[in-house]
Amino acid sequence: MAKGGSIKKLNSGKWQWIGYYVDNEGKERRPKKTFNTKKEAEAYRKAQHKTKTNLNNLKNKRTYTVEEYFNKWQLETWADEETYSFNTTLKWASNFKVHILPYIGKQKIDCIDYTRFQKHLDDMDAKGYSHKYLFNIVQALKSMLKFADDDKLISINNVNELKIKGRKKDYKIFNVLRENDFNSIYDYMKSKNYYYAEFFMFLHETGIRSEEIAITKNDVDFDNRIIWIRRFIKTKKDVETGRITKEITLYGKSQSAYRPIPMTKQSERAIKNQLKYKETHNIKSDYIFTSKTGNTVDTGEMLRSWKRAIEKVNESNEYKIPNCGLHSLRKLFCKNARDGAGLDWINIQRVMGHSDVSITQKVYYSMDIEDFKDLSTALDMANTRLQKERVKSFMEESDEISSYDNTEITVEY
């Protein structure tokens, strides 16, 4: 992670922070970060310098407690966006502060009392915590100890011997969003003038991630019916103030995320409706999909709006729509592209921006109960015994009809 750094003004009028550090392979790195004002850039530089000082103080120590090494690990590694995502570090920080440091934080990192920590896990299991929740706690501790092992600070690492119990989650086999479900949700949103209704239609028609909705007019080619996905909305946390903000970056989850996608009639209509709304309400922004005030889209607020709509629709319907998130629209797109449009897996993979086609096939293609009815019919058609029975039944019916046709009818006058 870069510490301190310098500041310079760009030709565009913005200010750029330039850091400097030497990575583990001895190579010099100069990370950069751009700000709208000089004040923001200086605040970031000051925070980086403070982080460097704290880290240097920790580096001078020869032995660490679990809490001290946690701070070192946090300062030295977490800010590297290529190593950990923001959501991962936020979850780990919570796990350490609530479930790890209060129990083993004061112990030397090479003398952790795993039996005491196991007792803590067992107590949480008795309170009804889920298996996944306990697994995340152990995973956070395991990740830190891996770095401690690489630093040759520990000789015994028994974290793998911790037994994770917890209540297993009850999974619903057919907990998938169907096309009729989406239509019900969308129609309800339009009737109630939900601001994000067109956003959800666009996600449904394109299969993009909700974080990829940062699209400008220059990304849309109406003549060739192509939309370019070039940006990604990332959640950022200010090092000094702790404030969480949204930032649009020019890179996504992987290189495959930078891609063109086809523009359907419905996605084109969603774009034009949003542009018309911005013009009517005088919203100034280069991006097509924005907040009501023209700022970067809050994907968290989008999700809350989606969940509220599902709850309202379920209040008046006997059939209950599954409680699913925005990623269900992406899975529904995959299913429609495969079953409805008949696209091959390679093309679906490219449109969805997956690095491997196996992700598209195994993770995103979901089947519902109607699909299994079709499978049952197809398997019956392929069964040779049933085919023979069907032919025999057909022949018997034909003989009965033929016998009936040859019967003489006597009419008495």
Side-chain angles (χ1 to χ4, degrees), residues 69-248:
Y69 192 78
F70 164 72
N71 292 329
K72 175 179 180 294
W73 177 49
Q74 185 180 23
L75 293 171
E76 193 171 29
T77 310
W78 287 20
D80 186 356
E81 295 175 0
E82 296 179 358
T83 304
Y84 298 118
S85 68
F86 171 80
N87 290 334
T88 300
T89 57
L90 195 66
K91 179 175 66 178
W92 283 355
S94 175
N95 287 335
F96 267 92
K97 293 175 181 178
V98 177
H99 298 298
I100 298 178
L101 298 183
Y103 298 91
I104 57 174
K106 303 302 180 183
Q107 299 176 12
K108 296 293 184 182
I109 197 168
D110 55 341
C111 303
I112 295 177
D113 186 354
Y114 288 96
T115 57
R116 181 179 180 185
F117 193 67
Q118 179 67 65
K119 184 179 183 302
H120 172 54
L121 294 176
D122 293 340
D123 290 341
M124 294 184 67
D125 172 41
K127 292 178 181 178
Y129 283 87
S130 68
H131 179 275
K132 184 177 180 181
Y133 192 90
L134 300 182
F135 174 82
N136 288 334
I137 296 173
V138 175
Q139 193 67 17
L141 179 61
K142 184 184 293 186
S143 298
M144 186 192 75
L145 293 181
K146 180 182 180 299
F147 276 84
D149 196 12
D150 293 340
D151 288 343
K152 303 187 184 310
L153 293 173
I154 56 178
S155 55
I156 300 177
N157 184 359
N158 291 332
V159 68
N160 289 324
E161 297 182 6
L162 292 172
K163 295 181 180 179
I164 307 171
K165 300 177 183 178
R167 176 179 50 83
K168 293 286 187 178
K169 182 179 179 181
D170 295 330
Y171 289 96
K172 294 182 179 179
I173 299 176
F174 299 114
N175 191 26
V176 295
L177 186 72
R178 301 189 297 183
E179 187 66 23
N180 290 338
D181 298 338
F182 172 76
N183 291 334
S184 300
I185 298 170
Y186 178 74
D187 292 341
Y188 173 81
M189 286 184 164
K190 293 296 288 184
S191 66
K192 299 298 182 181
N193 295 322
Y194 271 58
Y195 175 71
Y196 291 110
E198 297 300 339
F199 291 52
F200 300 135
M201 174 59 75
F202 189 76
L203 296 180
H204 170 270
E205 290 294 313
T206 58
I208 65 172
R209 304 171 181 90
S210 59
E211 296 85 357
E212 294 175 333
I213 204 168
I215 299 168
T216 66
K217 291 182 180 179
N218 295 331
D219 298 327
V220 181
D221 186 347
F222 289 103
D223 295 332
N224 296 313
R225 299 176 62 79
I226 293 176
I227 304 171
W228 280 92
I229 305 300
R230 296 188 171 104
R231 299 169 191 84
F232 198 82
I233 302 174
K234 277 200 170 184
T235 305
K236 291 285 184 180
K237 183 175 182 180
D238 188 272
V239 179
E240 187 175 38
T241 63
R243 182 184 176 188
I244 298 175
T245 57
K246 301 288 183 180
E247 180 180 276
I248 298 177

Side-chain angles (χ1 to χ4, degrees), residues 1-6 16-22 27-34 44 48 79-82:
M1 183 186 74
K3 311 296 187 303
S6 58
Q16 188 176 69
W17 167 84
I18 305 174
Y20 172 83
Y21 73 101
V22 179
K27 297 180 180 179
E28 295 183 356
R29 302 292 185 186
R30 289 191 173 274
K32 299 177 182 179
K33 188 176 179 65
T34 305
Y44 186 81
Q48 293 296 311
D80 186 356
E81 295 175 0
E82 296 179 358

Side-chain angles (χ1 to χ4, degrees), residues 352-413:
M352 296 187 72
H354 288 149
S355 57
D356 194 307
V357 70
S358 64
I359 301 175
T360 313
Q361 294 172 321
K362 296 178 181 178
V363 180
Y364 281 83
Y365 183 77
S366 302
M367 299 180 68
D368 58 30
I369 194 169
E370 299 298 329
D371 296 317
F372 277 87
K373 290 181 180 179
D374 296 338
L375 281 180
S376 300
T377 304
L379 290 171
D380 286 342
M381 294 295 292
N383 189 295
T384 55
R385 177 180 290 275
L386 288 177
Q387 285 180 356
K388 290 179 180 179
E389 292 178 359
R390 195 177 293 111
V391 171
K392 183 180 178 181
S393 176
F394 175 77
M395 295 298 294
E396 290 176 351
E397 291 177 359
S398 299
D399 291 341
E400 290 178 2
I401 294 173
S402 176
S403 175
Y404 176 80
D405 290 342
N406 294 331
T407 303
E408 293 184 2
I409 302 176
T410 305
V411 180
E412 295 182 359
Y413 294 94

